Amino acid sequence: MKQGSSSRKVNEQAREVIASALLFDISDPRLSLVTITGCEVSFDRSVCNVYYTASSSEYESVAAAFEGAKGRIRSLMAKRLSWRVAPELRFILDASVDEAERIESALLREAKRSGGSVD
């Protein structure tokens, strides 16, 4: 879906507020090493898909922590943003980092196998 400058701005506002809330307002230790990689807010601002990365060993505990903190984060968003509606939050694991690591390790194995230099 093509994004205009206003929707990019809305997405970035949501990402900044959620990242700030995780950093300063949410005290759950399971969310301490989570990175918010992006947000997609629906056109009517009723839904916000929040993409995050975490250590692969902590996927389940982080998902449970987000489920528990969802209401608090939504409340903080409502206070900090001048939107008419506080969006429903959907937390989605961003697998792009894992995919990049998998590709990098495959390339390194291939380089070692073929005797090429590993840079």
Side-chain angles (χ1 to χ4, degrees):
M1 183 169 119
K2 187 175 178 181
Q3 287 188 339
S5 63
S6 62
S7 65
R8 276 194 298 271
K9 183 178 177 182
V10 166
N11 292 341
E12 186 58 26
Q13 282 178 331
R15 191 195 65 76
E16 287 176 4
V17 168
I18 293 169
S20 174
L22 290 178
L23 193 58
F24 298 113
D25 301 309
I26 306 296
S27 61
D28 192 328
R30 298 173 293 180
L31 298 175
S32 62
L33 294 176
V34 172
T35 302
I36 303 300
T37 58
C39 289
E40 288 180 355
V41 180
S42 65
F43 180 74
D44 62 356
R45 297 183 184 174
S46 64
V47 176
C48 178
N49 291 331
V50 181
Y51 297 93
Y52 67 92
T53 60
S55 173
S56 59
S57 62
E58 299 180 9
Y59 286 161
E60 292 170 9
S61 66
V62 168
F66 271 129
E67 195 60 37
K70 187 184 292 191
R72 174 85 172 121
I73 296 170
R74 185 176 184 190
S75 171
L76 290 167
M77 283 185 74
K79 290 177 185 174
R80 294 180 184 167
L81 295 172
S82 60
W83 298 354
R84 196 171 56 94
V85 181
E88 173 192 342
L89 300 175
R90 298 178 184 164
F91 292 96
I92 302 167
L93 179 65
D94 185 353
S96 63
V97 174
D98 293 337
E99 187 66 17
E101 288 175 357
R102 187 188 66 75
I103 291 170
E104 180 184 20
S105 66
L107 290 172
L108 287 172
R109 281 194 309 272
E110 181 59 27
K112 287 179 184 177
R113 188 181 67 75
S114 66
S117 66
V118 177
D119 291 331

